[in-house]
Amino acid sequence: MSRLAPLSEEPINEDEEYSTNCSKKKGYSWKNWLKTHFYLVFNKKSDLKVLLSVLGCPLFPVSIHSKLPINEVSSSAQYIIQHFSAATGCRKLQGEVKNIFATGKVTMAMVDELGGSAMAGATTVAEKGCFVMWQMAPNKWLIELVVDGHKVVAGSDGNVAWRHTPWLASHAAKGGVRPLRRALQGLDPMAISAVFSPAQYMGEKCVSGTDCFVLKLSADQADLAARSDSTAEMIKHIIFGYFSQRSGLLVHLEDSYLTRIQSPGTYPTYWETTMATKIEDYRIVEGVMIAHGGQSSVMITRFGDSLKSGLSITRMEETWTIDDLAFNVPGLSMDCFIPPEEMQKDYPEENLDWRSPLYR
């Protein structure tokens, strides 16, 4: 199976139905690609597509690895994770949970002005939707999210992560298989403990009035290289987890990735995307503390010598709530995570546009 491009976007002709075979289309020139992506970020008709692409089902920056030898793990990080495990009660379920099922609601909106709030009545319209998520171990997952009649489906079978949208065919994520970020927003304490165990302790910080311990994870150079290509270089992808000193719970996530875009004979352009998520409303589900709500905000910053207008910033927000969550749902099998049929076809590389900096 050849790895396909992640999440390339194209403007939709509203008078025609977009073909589901667009992943087979001939590659675009750099000039056309640039026009396409500027259209998506700054054209109001594309707001919902950008919201779904960026906020709908992003991946976590790093994979979940086996436990490292104790001498390779920060003792401070281990203390924080042990405190988190005890606070959530997830230790008692270790080895007992075969799968997780969750349903919830989302509200998404663009934010026109820096410092404004779409949720508080800014000029853009907030779009409401819902999602359902299944997970069998952190690397096998499936999510279906519907907002304003537009459905996005994403999944992973443990070998490849992919996504399908109404306006594009299925696309695979580049780099190693990573967990779904939404699942690590307090929904899966076992995965949170595993992924942050090898983290770097960064000290203490007060976030929204809560004193927190800060842990940092970074994508390694090999994975960054695997997620890059000849015109788009992934420079960094890092995430910080903020754990309450008082309760031990994960209360905030903040990740950032920087992409350098350059075609031959042009100046480079840089895209930096930062996503911050407040995690709250922890409730007990089958003896385990699970977060049932939160808010995410995203800032996409575009800069470089080639931009005559200077720095450009796009912001968007999401609120989310969990309606239902259950462990060990009967009937969930490996067959539920099989990728779409088109993912198993061998598409030639030159027929794909791999270079989107927005949706890596």
Side-chain angles (χ1 to χ4, degrees), residues 312-357:
S312 296
I313 296 176
T314 301
R315 296 182 65 237
M316 56 197 78
E317 295 180 350
E318 176 195 78
T319 60
W320 54 272
T321 57
I322 299 301
D323 295 328
D324 187 26
L325 187 139
F327 301 112
N328 297 327
V329 176
L332 194 65
S333 69
M334 293 293 296
D335 292 343
C336 301
F337 306 98
I338 296 175
E341 182 180 354
E342 58 265 34
M343 289 294 301
Q344 304 175 34
K345 297 178 181 178
D346 187 12
Y347 292 134
E349 177 177 345
E350 61 270 20
N351 286 347
L352 295 167
D353 177 9
W354 287 30
R355 296 167 290 205
S356 170

Side-chain angles (χ1 to χ4, degrees), residues 157-203:
D157 64 352
N159 296 310
V160 60
W162 53 272
R163 190 186 70 173
H164 183 92
T165 68
W167 55 91
L168 285 177
S170 300
H171 285 66
K174 301 177 73 174
V177 174
R178 292 170 281 152
L180 185 68
R181 188 186 192 276
R182 195 175 292 276
L184 297 178
Q185 293 172 182
L187 303 187
D188 187 348
M190 290 76 74
I192 293 170
S193 297
V195 77
F196 275 104
S197 288
Q200 178 184 0
Y201 175 63
M202 300 301 293

Side-chain angles (χ1 to χ4, degrees), residues 102-107 129-131 182 185 187 280-281 283 291-295 318-324:
T103 63
K105 297 183 178 67
V106 296
T107 302
C130 58
F131 67 89
R182 195 175 292 276
Q185 293 172 182
L187 303 187
E280 54 191 356
D281 193 15
R283 307 178 198 171
H292 280 66
Q295 303 88 39
E318 176 195 78
T319 60
W320 54 272
T321 57
I322 299 301
D323 295 328
D324 187 26

Side-chain angles (χ1 to χ4, degrees), residues 144-262:
E144 297 182 2
L145 184 145
V146 179
V147 177
D148 193 32
H150 291 72
K151 182 178 180 180
V152 175
V153 183
S156 169
D157 64 352
N159 296 310
V160 60
W162 53 272
R163 190 186 70 173
H164 183 92
T165 68
W167 55 91
L168 285 177
S170 300
H171 285 66
K174 301 177 73 174
V177 174
R178 292 170 281 152
L180 185 68
R181 188 186 192 276
R182 195 175 292 276
L184 297 178
Q185 293 172 182
L187 303 187
D188 187 348
M190 290 76 74
I192 293 170
S193 297
V195 77
F196 275 104
S197 288
Q200 178 184 0
Y201 175 63
M202 300 301 293
E204 304 176 14
K205 185 176 181 180
C206 184
V207 179
S208 301
T210 301
D211 293 327
C212 298
F213 294 119
V214 185
L215 297 182
K216 176 185 177 182
L217 291 166
S218 304
D220 60 32
Q221 289 301 314
D223 191 56
L224 292 175
R227 291 159 62 186
S228 303
D229 58 34
S230 59
T231 56
E233 176 191 2
M234 179 71 74
I235 297 175
K236 69 170 184 177
H237 197 171
I238 60 176
I239 190 162
F240 296 92
Y242 297 84
F243 295 80
S244 169
Q245 295 182 19
R246 183 179 62 83
S247 68
L249 300 173
L250 176 66
V251 296
H252 193 82
L253 280 176
E254 183 173 341
D255 65 289
S256 173
Y257 59 92
L258 178 64
T259 306
R260 181 180 184 269
I261 306 294
Q262 185 175 21

Side-chain angles (χ1 to χ4, degrees), residues 20-255:
T20 58
N21 294 322
C22 50
S23 66
K24 298 183 182 179
K25 292 173 66 177
K26 295 296 181 182
Y28 295 102
S29 67
W30 173 254
K31 183 177 180 181
N32 288 336
W33 177 88
L34 205 58
K35 287 181 178 179
T36 294
H37 288 75
F38 285 177
Y39 177 98
L40 276 165
V41 179
F42 305 108
N43 188 299
K44 295 302 180 184
K45 293 182 179 180
S46 300
D47 281 358
L48 182 57
K49 298 179 184 64
V50 176
L51 287 168
L52 289 173
S53 296
V54 178
L55 286 167
C57 41
L59 302 183
F60 205 72
V62 300
S63 302
I64 297 180
H65 300 289
S66 316
K67 288 188 176 180
L68 297 176
I70 193 66
N71 60 343
E72 295 183 22
V73 175
S74 163
S75 59
S76 296
Q78 283 298 294
Y79 167 79
I80 295 166
I81 293 305
Q82 288 172 6
H83 190 192
F84 170 80
S85 298
T88 57
C90 67
R91 284 179 181 173
K92 68 183 80 170
L93 292 182
Q94 194 164 15
E96 301 295 326
V97 174
K98 306 303 180 185
N99 61 64
I100 299 174
F101 165 81
T103 63
K105 297 183 178 67
V106 296
T107 302
M108 302 177 178
M110 303 294 287
V111 180
D112 281 343
E113 297 180 2
L114 195 62
S117 174
M119 303 306 174
T123 55
T124 55
V125 176
E127 306 287 357
K128 296 185 178 182
C130 58
F131 67 89
V132 58
M133 183 190 78
W134 298 266
Q135 184 165 292
M136 181 180 288
N139 286 334
K140 298 178 182 65
W141 49 266
L142 182 71
I143 183 171
E144 297 182 2
L145 184 145
V146 179
V147 177
D148 193 32
H150 291 72
K151 182 178 180 180
V152 175
V153 183
S156 169
D157 64 352
N159 296 310
V160 60
W162 53 272
R163 190 186 70 173
H164 183 92
T165 68
W167 55 91
L168 285 177
S170 300
H171 285 66
K174 301 177 73 174
V177 174
R178 292 170 281 152
L180 185 68
R181 188 186 192 276
R182 195 175 292 276
L184 297 178
Q185 293 172 182
L187 303 187
D188 187 348
M190 290 76 74
I192 293 170
S193 297
V195 77
F196 275 104
S197 288
Q200 178 184 0
Y201 175 63
M202 300 301 293
E204 304 176 14
K205 185 176 181 180
C206 184
V207 179
S208 301
T210 301
D211 293 327
C212 298
F213 294 119
V214 185
L215 297 182
K216 176 185 177 182
L217 291 166
S218 304
D220 60 32
Q221 289 301 314
D223 191 56
L224 292 175
R227 291 159 62 186
S228 303
D229 58 34
S230 59
T231 56
E233 176 191 2
M234 179 71 74
I235 297 175
K236 69 170 184 177
H237 197 171
I238 60 176
I239 190 162
F240 296 92
Y242 297 84
F243 295 80
S244 169
Q245 295 182 19
R246 183 179 62 83
S247 68
L249 300 173
L250 176 66
V251 296
H252 193 82
L253 280 176
E254 183 173 341
D255 65 289

